[in-house]
């Protein structure tokens, strides 16, 4: 099975969350350049699902961006705030944020591939865990499972990617009320 997708973190999660250092953020276009990066051709990738692997291929060069054994898929996170975006949580790798028109079909095919690979019904078989989120805020994790960012939906099909800052009032602890 294959489908085109937008990979919002084609260079990796940490790189997508970094603030540009070559320019001062106060300079015009400094933040816009960072935000526009996912819209580049490099972010458009072919998702190829085989019976044992999930592959992401760059649309321009057809180079391999991700080669993931299905046994390394920990879970898929989906939000009610988007019918197309999903977060792929993997073992020993950072989260990947994909946006694909055929998300529900992809999830069906992925469930089927994982079930066939692990031999559903056999001892030690493992089903794909798809977590349906209820909140508009999602924690993003790095290769070690540590929080490195937050994905916050601000509207239907519109989200922000925010770096995790441990001493931030808004991004840590229980912020109950905030207003102006």
């Amino acid at each position: 099975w294959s489908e085109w997708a937008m990979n919002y973190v084609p260079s990796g999660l940490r790189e997508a969350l970094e603030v540009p250092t070559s320019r001062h953020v106060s300079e015009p276009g400094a933040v816009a350049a960072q935000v526009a990066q996912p819209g580049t051709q490099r972010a458009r990738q072919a998702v190829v699902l085989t019976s044992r692997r999930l592959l992401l291929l760059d649309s321009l060069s057809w180079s391999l961006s991700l080669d993931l054994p299905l046994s390394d898929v920990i879970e898929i996170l989906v939000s009610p705030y988007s019918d197309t975006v999903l977060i792929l949580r993997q073992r020993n790798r950072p989260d990947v944020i994909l946006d694909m028109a055929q998300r529900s079909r992809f999830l069906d095919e992925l469930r089927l591939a994982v079930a066939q690979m692990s031999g559903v019904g056999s001892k030690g078989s493992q089903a794909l865990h798809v977590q349906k989120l209820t909140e508009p805020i999602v924690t993003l994790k790095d290769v070690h499972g540590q929080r490195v960012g937050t994905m916050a939906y601000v509207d239907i099909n519109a989200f922000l990617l925010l770096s995790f800052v441990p001493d931030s009032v808004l991004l840590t602890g229980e912020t109950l009320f905030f207003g102006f």
Side-chain angles (χ1 to χ4, degrees):
W1 186 86
S2 64
E3 170 70 350
W4 290 108
M6 186 66 65
N7 182 352
Y8 288 106
V9 290
S11 298
L13 189 57
R14 282 201 185 271
E15 289 79 6
L17 295 170
E18 284 181 357
V19 175
T21 56
S22 60
R23 295 174 162 180
H24 295 291
V25 175
S26 61
E27 289 182 31
V31 175
Q34 171 112 7
V35 174
Q37 181 186 358
T40 63
Q41 279 297 107
R42 186 167 183 271
R44 185 169 188 255
Q45 296 183 342
V47 177
V48 178
L49 179 63
T50 71
S51 62
R52 300 230 177 254
R53 305 188 94 65
L54 176 65
L55 307 170
L56 294 181
L57 303 165
D58 183 278
S59 67
L60 293 176
S61 65
W62 290 102
S63 62
L64 190 62
S65 298
L66 177 70
D67 180 2
L68 179 68
L70 295 182
S71 58
D72 286 352
V73 175
I74 297 173
E75 67 181 343
I76 304 287
L77 306 171
V78 295
S79 171
Y81 295 92
S82 175
D83 292 332
T84 60
V85 174
L86 64 88
I87 298 172
L88 176 64
R89 192 147 286 161
Q90 321 160 65
R91 188 176 338 279
N92 300 320
R93 295 181 191 198
D95 290 346
V96 173
I97 304 168
L98 297 175
D99 189 345
M100 61 177 69
Q102 298 291 321
R103 181 183 80 178
S104 60
R105 172 91 189 271
F106 170 72
L107 292 175
D108 291 343
E109 295 291 338
L110 185 58
R111 279 187 190 106
L112 181 62
V114 168
Q116 287 178 345
M117 184 192 70
S118 65
V120 168
S122 65
K123 187 177 179 179
S125 67
Q126 187 174 342
L128 178 66
H129 183 248
V130 177
Q131 182 179 349
K132 295 181 180 178
L133 305 168
T134 57
E135 298 295 323
I137 297 176
V138 183
T139 297
L140 299 173
K141 298 182 179 183
D142 69 3
V143 68
H144 305 293
Q146 301 297 312
R147 182 177 183 179
V148 292
T150 301
M151 181 177 178
Y153 280 91
V154 293
D155 202 355
I156 301 299
N157 293 322
F159 62 85
L160 296 172
L161 292 179
L162 305 167
S163 294
F164 175 65
V165 180
D167 55 355
S168 168
V169 173
L170 293 176
L171 298 176
T172 61
E174 294 291 325
T175 305
L176 299 176
F177 299 99
F178 187 84
F180 298 94

